[in-house]
Amino acid sequence: MSGVWVFKNGVVRLVENPGECHGRKMLVHVPSNDVITSYAILERKLSSLGWERYYDDPSLLQFHKRSTVHLISLPKDFNKFKSMNMYDIVVKNRNEFEVRDMY
């Protein structure tokens, strides 16, 4: 047997085609359960958490939180917003955002 063992919802199963495990991801604002579908929505959520737009690099959309050294850098085009960017937001905003699989 070859494949990848996946643990999901309390069940372990063997996935023979590991590509099956890697679907599209979405960023969710946990308190409101809103799916982030645009940078405008994300900016409103981040602003309410104390993040400010940072205009140092015109090729990126950046946010900085004054009380920390954290900087969130995102591609200017929302279509290039990848799971790596989502996880960066999650790590810097614990309990506020989650990355979930799209179904």
Side-chain angles (χ1 to χ4, degrees):
M1 265 192 300
S2 65
V4 175
W5 288 97
V6 176
F7 182 80
K8 187 173 183 182
N9 297 328
V11 177
V12 176
R13 67 184 177 99
L14 178 66
V15 177
E16 292 185 21
N17 179 6
E20 185 180 311
C21 298
H22 306 300
R24 293 193 40 176
K25 304 288 186 187
M26 62 183 173
L27 183 65
V28 177
H29 181 249
V30 175
S32 64
N33 208 32
D34 290 338
V35 176
I36 305 301
T37 56
S38 70
Y39 280 149
I41 295 169
L42 179 61
E43 186 168 1
R44 280 195 301 275
K45 301 294 184 189
L46 289 174
S47 292
S48 71
L49 296 170
W51 290 88
E52 301 173 352
R53 277 289 301 273
Y54 191 66
Y55 296 94
D56 191 47
D57 187 341
S59 66
L60 296 170
L61 185 65
Q62 295 183 308
F63 297 92
H64 178 258
K65 197 168 191 176
R66 234 177 250 232
S67 60
T68 70
V69 296
H70 295 307
L71 181 68
I72 297 173
S73 296
L74 306 170
K76 202 74 154 163
D77 182 358
F78 188 77
N79 292 324
K80 295 179 180 173
F81 185 57
K82 303 290 183 206
S83 61
M84 173 186 71
N85 305 115
M86 295 177 195
Y87 285 113
D88 186 38
I89 293 167
V90 169
V91 167
K92 293 173 181 167
N93 295 278
R94 301 234 180 251
N95 304 318
E96 291 292 328
F97 293 94
E98 285 181 354
V99 176
R100 298 181 187 164
D101 291 325
M102 286 181 136
Y103 293 103

